[in-house]
Amino acid sequence: MFKRMTRREKQRCAMQEDLKKAMQELHANEVAFEEAQDPFYIEQLTYQHAALMCRCRALLQMLRSGGEDP
């Protein structure tokens, strides 16, 4: 039998996919940072890393709270 997903379950799945994508982007950022030579590019990567960390933290917080906005 097929089970219909509730709206909350769909939102949770979407947030999990967003988190997975953000984690992949974070990993790519860390690899690029290790290889970077240009100080300007390193600065850009640092700000991007901070933004990705905030995004991951927010998604984790929403997932832990049951998908409701804090």
Side-chain angles (χ1 to χ4, degrees), residues 28-37 41-43 45-46 49:
N29 174 278
E30 290 171 354
V31 169
F33 184 83
E34 289 176 7
E35 297 173 357
Q37 299 289 324
Y41 185 55
I42 291 171
E43 185 177 359
L45 289 171
T46 301
H49 185 270

